[in-house]
Amino acid sequence: MPDLSVVIPVHNESANIEALIAEIGEALIGIVEFELIVVDDASTDATRDVLQSATASRPWLRILHHRANAGQSTAILTGIRAARANWISTLDGDGQNDPADIPALLEMHKAQPGLGMICGHRQKRRDTAIRRWSSRIANAVRSNMLGDDTPDTGCGLKLFDREVFLSMPHFDHFHRFMPALFRLRGAQIASVPVNHRQRGGGVSHYGVWNRLWVGIVDIIGVMWLKRRATTVVADEVPRDG
């Protein structure tokens, strides 16, 4: 059984995914027993063919394919349900997250085993001004409204407990609110500075509107979950005699 399952959701990332898979191998082989699960969310370009070719020399690589496009959150859920390790690392499929940062997250997990989630905090963002602006506003709004104590919830690079993830509610776009949802389960969260890179090719699927305005309704929903959530610790009573 692997110690780590890396899960990457992709949609039309044929220009980036082969290089990203190779980088993950370089970053993790010899450091941790791992598997890489790439979930193709019904791509319409050559992504599926590129992924199929990539499996030839990589026994640690697994490919899952959605028959219909379901969105990033559902692709993440598909991959984690199929994962065999107790700890999950996620990355975006566009290559902007640096796989070389995964060992730093693993080191923090080793040093602080009580953490339920470790989030990447992107430094020196390699995005357009409008994307940096929209992300900064979205992070500020989510942080102020949800109190998730996470400076960069939009960073796709995360390390977390699979069991806690599977116990939390799942809905469309839930990946944007994972720190807050983990806190609802009583998990402790920390952040680690990570590298950020320019997109290698292809087109981003996310912009100002789906980063903030569409997410307002989801934020309100998560706030409702916070108000309704209860956390109870039970102690087993020892037997007499």
Side-chain angles (χ1 to χ4, degrees):
M1 297 294 290
D3 298 313
L4 176 69
S5 294
V6 181
V7 175
I8 303 179
V10 295
H11 178 72
N12 291 350
E13 295 289 358
S14 59
N16 302 304
I17 192 59
E18 168 64 30
L20 183 58
I21 290 171
E23 286 185 300
I24 290 171
E26 293 171 1
L28 298 181
I29 289 175
I31 294 178
V32 64
E33 292 294 328
F34 75 99
E35 64 178 357
L36 170 59
I37 302 173
V38 182
V39 182
D40 175 21
D41 190 28
S43 294
T44 56
D45 65 355
T47 295
R48 187 171 183 178
D49 294 333
V50 172
L51 290 172
Q52 185 66 44
S53 298
T55 62
S57 59
R58 299 179 175 100
W60 39 266
L61 176 59
R62 300 169 60 193
I63 307 299
L64 302 178
H65 176 73
H66 282 171
R67 296 182 181 179
N69 182 260
Q72 186 175 359
S73 286
T74 302
I76 291 172
L77 179 59
T78 294
I80 294 173
R81 282 176 170 167
R84 296 179 295 163
N86 294 327
W87 279 82
I88 307 293
S89 179
T90 57
L91 293 88
D92 290 337
D94 57 12
Q96 291 193 272
N97 298 139
D98 191 345
D101 286 317
I102 298 177
L105 275 64
L106 293 171
E107 283 297 317
M108 176 169 276
H109 165 55
K110 183 178 179 181
Q112 302 183 53
L115 294 172
M117 170 178 279
I118 301 167
C119 303
H121 181 191
R122 293 168 289 185
Q123 309 294 300
K124 297 181 180 179
R125 293 282 301 273
R126 305 298 183 184
D127 282 324
T128 62
I130 187 66
R131 282 172 60 84
R132 293 195 303 270
W133 173 81
S134 64
S135 179
R136 188 177 299 116
I137 292 178
N139 276 317
V141 170
R142 281 193 292 262
S143 180
N144 289 332
M145 296 182 72
L146 300 179
D148 55 22
D149 292 332
T150 305
D152 189 6
T153 59
C155 181
L157 181 56
K158 294 180 174 70
L159 176 71
F160 50 87
D161 186 306
R162 179 177 182 268
E163 184 177 353
V164 176
F165 173 88
L166 293 177
S167 74
M168 73 184 197
H170 304 113
F171 49 89
D172 196 17
H173 307 306
F174 74 80
H175 68 277
R176 300 175 183 174
F177 307 99
M178 284 175 59
L181 294 170
F182 265 66
R183 284 175 61 87
L184 284 178
R185 290 295 183 264
Q188 295 183 348
I189 300 172
S191 296
V192 174
V194 296
N195 187 29
H196 191 247
R197 311 184 295 188
Q198 291 183 339
R199 168 180 271 275
V203 179
S204 174
H205 307 296
Y206 308 102
V208 176
W209 292 102
N210 55 18
R211 284 178 182 271
L212 176 59
W213 311 122
V214 174
I216 290 294
V217 173
D218 295 325
I219 291 175
I220 294 171
V222 176
M223 292 176 66
W224 180 86
L225 287 172
K226 287 184 63 178
R227 288 195 299 269
R228 301 293 293 178
T230 57
T231 300
V232 177
V233 178
D235 296 318
E236 184 171 353
V237 177
R239 294 176 179 272
D240 288 336

